[in-house]
Amino acid sequence: MASHGIPRVSGTSVDRSEQAKEKERRQIEQYNALETDVVERIKAKDYSGATLQATSNLLSQNPEYYTIWNHRRLVLQDAIVKELRSEQDSTKQAEVEDADITAAQKAGLTVPQQEIALLLKEDLRFLIPLLKQYPKCYWIWNHRSWLLATATKHLPAPSAVELWQGEMGLVTKMLALDSRNFHGWGYRRTAVAALEGLGGKSLVEPEFEYTTKMIRANLSNFSAWHNRGQLIPRLLAERQASSEDRSKLFDGEFELITTALYTDPYDQSLWFYHQYLMSTLDPGNKHSVSILEPCTNGNRLQYLEQEIDSIREMLDGAEDCKYIYQALLEYSRRYLEVDGGNKKVTTVDMKGWLEELRKIDPLREGRWKDLESKMKL
Amino acid sequence: MSLAAGPGRGGGGAQGQLPEELQLVVEKHVAYIQSLDTRREELEYHLTEHLRISGIYWGLTALHLLGHPDALPREGVLDFVFICLHENGGFSPAPGHDPHMLYTLSAVQILAMVDGFGELEKKVPDGKTKVARYIASLQRANGTFAGDEWGETDTRFMYGALNALSLLGLLPQQQPDQPPMIDIPAAMAHVKACQNFDGGFGSEPGAESHSGQVFTCCGALSIAGEIDSYLGEAGKDRLGAWLSERQLPSGGLNGRPEKLVDVCYSWWVMSSMAMIDRLHWIDKGKLTAFILQCQDADEGGLADRPGDMVDVFHTVFGIAGLSLLGHPGLVEVDAA
């Protein structure tokens, strides 16, 4: 989103003293001077280490200044090209120190590769404090992605793998600080895909385990539940799960979420995951995935009945919980669509639930009115 | 145009008291927007130069909605837009910055608003086509769009591309006897792949649903003319349900479950609701009251929530939200 440059500081009063104004004037001067320096260097195609440092100073003050990240990448690209060219250059070869050659050999790299790796690692290190300070800055995550993509391009697979594993460690730390940071989750998906590509091995099991860990640490972990749901289809496919295995997993997930819901039926994350599980039974949803295979109308009725019963019991002690009524109405509607009969739920039941819902949740009255006519209540 | 925050704060005037009858303080907002470009003695003015042209777009849009389209001098605005135009047809947010899809969109939106395409063509022969070519060059094989040559892809850029091209009149459907400049089917396939089981959309396939992405994806589908056929009534119900849950007891809207309210979601969420004919699934009265509470009645401008510092970004999206809600005295806004 474009609102990044705007701080959300509330409660501060603006100091309009001459002293404060003078201080700000100097800050602006210094900032503009720094900016001018970088821009002139780049214009002159000065891709030296000093220029790199100048971009570091400027970006530390303003990581949203994306053009400077572009300039920084030009400097890095130039250094990389020079390293790659030096292999062909015999005079440059003669200058390389024995210590460097040994170190490179030890790491399974050529000397230029070693230099490139060091350069990129240095940049990754530079980003860490910035990322901690601005964890939602697109440009910082982008630069990180670029560094890793560049490393993957120029370095042998084992080195790239090592770097990507480092990224997994970083992302795990970032998500521990803020589990809802979608930049982090997106980057994690990228890292997993990269590692799978480089190593040839699937990471779906450890990633699934990671969501289990996150949920155990905090049940109300919306993004972890989301990712868990995303992983399940692949998990089952890779396990070459039989019909029975699939049922077992499905039932296990229901047990997990139901236990959680009984402790806190007011928690949106939990209802979200429950909805996910129920969506796998809904043929009308283009974006639902299959867990049960085959999934017959018999299966659908079985689970709809089971869940309607289970959710009805949650009402005890939580009569003011809108999510319970919403779930009962939604699954009743689907139940009637599958079966058409009135065995499990009566019109009286549904009318009653809708009435309660309208009392508890007047904000969404427009929606409940539409629901009433759609369900012919 | 400064994107500096403050000095006003949402939630009332100097006394911190809310006015008894919540009103939209139009003149204050106009004055606030007009003052933004004069704040060059603030560091933040300089720190937000990378958004400058978008800031102008936000300010100008707010002024148009408030019925004061001429409060910013047209010539000054056009001059600035043209110095942001690059050789490759892209626009940067300010002179000296690199071109990017986001700022190309803002530039095109400004030109559309001030009727400046004629001046563009005069300045640069075949200017519109040049800009369109820059935009088209950013489409990737999987249908989505990058922001610039450095490769970040996001549905925000896809929406930007479709919106800008539609304003330029150069979408494939707008010139059916010309070869298409972009691959709409691929773009649509990508948008659809970003939808989740809960009806919402994420920034890429597999990503969590987020109101901002719902807006960009619905906007893309709308502009391509596919929103009704793709969603159908069931799909609109499902997405509408997800969007309606964004309204919290304060009357304000959040961006996704268990997050804080923010006045800018008055636009991202409500315009999406408008696109799927479900505006009535949100309590309009309470949302209106919330948005009005985000104003600074003394200094003008709106903040993300009552008590925070105002800025031009939240100002325009709060006002746009009010326009969608039919607030009296505001010009009508187009949801997509």
Side-chain angles (χ1 to χ4, degrees):
Chain A
M1 276 245 291
S3 63
H4 291 143
I6 303 162
R8 303 233 170 147
V9 180
S10 61
T12 57
S13 53
V14 182
D15 182 356
R16 294 229 147 89
S17 69
E18 196 44 52
Q19 249 185 336
K21 279 193 186 164
E22 182 51 39
K23 180 177 178 202
E24 203 163 13
R25 246 175 262 144
R26 273 186 269 118
Q27 283 177 314
I28 292 169
E29 241 176 70
Q30 181 217 60
Y31 178 78
N32 284 335
L34 189 49
E35 182 185 20
T36 307
D37 182 38
V38 171
V39 168
E40 312 240 287
R41 284 167 178 273
I42 296 293
K43 230 188 240 163
K45 294 207 195 307
D46 168 7
Y47 299 135
S48 63
T51 303
L52 190 70
Q53 186 55 50
T55 67
S56 299
N57 295 342
L58 189 48
L59 289 167
S60 298
Q61 278 194 53
N62 191 1
E64 300 275 359
Y65 194 156
Y66 69 89
T67 298
I68 307 298
W69 287 112
N70 297 349
H71 291 336
R72 190 182 182 84
R73 286 189 279 269
L74 290 177
V75 173
L76 292 169
Q77 272 181 338
D78 184 75
I80 290 170
V81 162
K82 286 201 171 92
E83 279 302 329
L84 294 172
R85 278 206 199 117
S86 75
E87 271 193 295
Q88 272 83 53
D89 186 336
S90 51
T91 41
K92 287 265 156 67
Q93 289 290 80
E95 284 168 10
V96 177
E97 302 201 3
D98 286 336
D100 287 341
I101 299 173
T102 320
Q105 276 176 349
K106 242 185 161 173
L109 303 169
T110 64
V111 172
Q113 284 175 340
Q114 167 140 279
E115 291 304 307
I116 291 170
L118 287 171
L119 188 68
L120 296 173
K121 279 186 190 161
E122 189 51 52
D123 239 56
L124 288 169
R125 256 193 298 271
F126 164 69
L127 283 180
I128 301 277
L130 283 180
L131 199 56
K132 294 236 163 85
Q133 212 186 340
Y134 306 96
K136 299 181 187 180
C137 176
Y138 283 97
W139 313 109
I140 300 177
W141 287 101
N142 278 358
H143 187 67
R144 219 167 169 93
S145 294
W146 183 87
L147 291 168
L148 266 296
T150 306
T152 306
K153 185 167 152 198
H154 294 292
L155 302 178
S159 304
V161 165
E162 197 192 313
L163 286 171
W164 278 114
Q165 278 169 348
E167 296 307 283
M168 288 293 282
L170 171 68
V171 153
T172 300
K173 279 206 190 95
M174 296 295 291
L175 291 176
L177 290 171
D178 176 7
S179 69
R180 298 303 299 282
N181 187 333
F182 60 75
H183 300 269
W185 283 104
Y187 195 73
R188 192 183 182 93
R189 273 190 295 273
T190 305
V192 166
L195 283 167
E196 289 179 334
L198 287 165
K201 204 175 56 158
S202 165
L203 290 175
V204 79
E205 296 283 353
E207 283 302 288
F208 188 71
E209 184 52 44
Y210 174 70
T211 68
T212 307
K213 230 186 259 162
M214 287 201 99
I215 289 155
R216 280 213 192 105
N218 174 16
L219 270 181
S220 185
N221 196 324
F222 194 98
S223 301
W225 286 112
H226 169 87
N227 276 268
R228 190 179 182 82
Q230 289 291 306
L231 292 164
I232 285 180
R234 228 186 99 194
L235 186 79
L236 290 166
E238 285 183 23
R239 285 181 183 175
Q240 291 181 331
S242 64
S243 220
E244 213 192 298
D245 294 332
R246 286 170 173 272
S247 275
K248 262 205 197 109
L249 183 133
F250 198 46
D251 290 333
E253 293 302 296
F254 267 112
E255 220 186 286
L256 176 64
I257 200 64
T258 304
T259 312
L261 277 167
Y262 271 97
T263 32
D264 188 3
Y266 297 88
D267 189 329
Q268 278 177 70
S269 314
L270 303 178
W271 283 109
F272 167 76
Y273 194 66
H274 188 270
Q275 280 158 23
Y276 161 76
L277 293 172
M278 295 301 283
S279 79
T280 68
L281 300 164
D282 184 4
N285 188 335
K286 280 186 250 213
H287 291 278
S288 66
V289 297
S290 302
I291 294 183
L292 292 180
E293 252 164 40
C295 185
T296 64
N297 274 349
N299 294 129
R300 294 190 178 98
L301 286 176
Q302 173 203 339
Y303 282 97
L304 282 163
E305 288 181 9
Q306 171 187 294
E307 288 313 299
I308 288 171
D309 280 340
S310 162
I311 297 167
R312 270 180 123 133
E313 287 188 28
M314 288 179 205
L315 272 176
D316 192 12
E319 289 84 1
D320 63 346
C321 178
K322 77 185 208 94
Y323 303 121
I324 296 177
Y325 298 107
Q326 281 175 229
L328 286 169
L329 285 163
E330 174 62 19
Y331 302 132
S332 302
R333 184 187 67 75
R334 281 196 224 166
Y335 180 79
L336 294 172
E337 251 170 38
V338 179
D339 180 66
N342 253 6
K343 285 173 278 176
K344 197 76 214 164
V345 282
T346 65
T347 312
V348 175
D349 290 329
M350 293 186 287
K351 271 186 136 120
W353 294 329
L354 185 58
E355 204 185 304
E356 279 309 306
L357 186 54
R358 285 173 107 150
K359 272 194 235 149
I360 301 166
D361 193 10
L363 272 183
R364 279 157 275 271
E365 172 57 30
R367 179 171 154 205
W368 308 138
K369 231 197 180 108
D370 279 2
L371 186 62
E372 183 178 39
S373 52
K374 279 205 171 100
M375 288 180 73
K376 301 197 177 63
L377 296 173
Chain B
M1 175 66 54
S2 170
L3 290 113
R9 294 216 293 279
Q15 266 77 44
Q17 300 282 347
L18 282 173
E20 251 165 295
E21 233 185 88
L22 286 174
Q23 273 186 62
L24 185 63
V25 290
V26 175
E27 300 307 322
K28 300 277 182 179
H29 296 316
V30 172
Y32 168 73
I33 292 165
Q34 287 176 314
S35 77
L36 289 170
D37 203 42
T38 65
R39 295 167 63 170
R40 301 176 193 218
E41 77 286 357
E42 290 176 41
L43 179 60
E44 228 191 299
Y45 177 89
H46 301 269
L47 290 176
T48 52
E49 196 182 68
H50 62 279
L51 291 171
R52 189 77 69 232
I53 203 169
S54 293
I56 294 174
Y57 165 66
W58 296 326
L60 197 58
T61 302
L63 290 174
H64 274 245
L65 290 171
L66 292 166
H68 289 255
D70 302 317
L72 283 179
R74 182 178 181 273
E75 209 180 301
V77 167
L78 274 176
D79 284 344
F80 186 81
V81 168
F82 290 134
I83 55 176
C84 292
L85 177 57
H86 285 244
E87 253 313 295
N88 64 1
F91 288 85
S92 55
H97 293 239
D98 289 343
H100 193 279
M101 177 72 83
L102 293 173
Y103 308 111
T104 303
L105 172 62
S106 289
V108 170
Q109 286 173 313
I110 293 170
L111 288 173
M113 246 192 303
V114 304
D115 226 339
F117 287 127
E119 271 104 326
L120 172 65
E121 294 295 304
K122 257 193 237 138
K123 247 195 146 62
V124 179
D126 273 330
K128 293 202 293 190
T129 305
K130 225 181 165 187
V131 175
R133 284 214 186 100
Y134 168 77
I135 292 169
S137 75
L138 291 169
Q139 188 167 27
R140 292 292 165 263
N142 68 354
T144 194
F145 283 77
D148 62 16
E149 63 189 301
W150 295 102
E152 180 199 6
T153 59
D154 191 309
T155 57
R156 293 176 293 149
F157 309 142
M158 150 131 46
Y159 167 73
L162 291 176
N163 190 344
L165 287 173
S166 77
L167 292 172
L168 290 165
L170 294 172
L171 277 175
Q173 71 223 42
Q174 290 169 308
Q175 33 164 36
D177 23 283
Q178 298 288 329
M181 291 190 83
I182 57 167
D183 185 348
I184 294 272
M188 289 300 106
H190 184 83
V191 167
K192 293 164 187 176
C194 290
Q195 194 175 25
N196 293 311
F197 80 89
D198 56 12
F201 292 81
S203 60
E204 56 181 9
E208 206 182 303
S209 300
H210 184 289
S211 295
Q213 308 303 146
V214 170
F215 169 74
T216 55
C217 290
C218 285
L221 285 165
S222 283
I223 293 169
E226 290 192 28
I227 194 162
D228 293 329
S229 59
Y230 174 63
L231 288 176
E233 282 306 297
K236 289 184 184 181
D237 282 345
R238 192 173 299 117
L239 177 55
W242 190 89
L243 286 167
S244 75
E245 294 292 330
R246 298 305 110 238
Q247 189 165 33
L248 298 189
S250 66
L253 309 177
N254 66 13
R256 50 183 167 138
E258 300 178 318
K259 287 266 160 172
L260 297 176
V261 293
D262 183 327
V263 86
C264 68
Y265 290 113
S266 310
W267 173 253
W268 312 122
V269 170
M270 295 305 279
S271 63
S272 304
M273 287 297 238
M275 286 188 254
I276 60 172
D277 319 303
R278 301 283 188 275
L279 264 176
H280 58 291
W281 282 14
I282 284 204
D283 185 321
K284 297 185 186 178
K286 284 208 99 179
L287 178 58
T288 300
F290 173 81
I291 297 172
L292 292 173
Q293 278 162 17
C294 291
Q295 297 178 100
D296 184 306
D298 283 351
E299 308 276 347
L302 277 84
D304 57 348
R305 56 191 76 94
D308 281 357
M309 284 195 155
V310 305
D311 62 56
V312 72
F313 174 84
H314 290 95
T315 301
V316 68
F317 292 117
I319 292 172
L322 287 175
S323 167
L324 266 179
L325 292 169
H327 196 82
L330 290 176
V331 172
E332 207 183 310
V333 72
D334 179 338

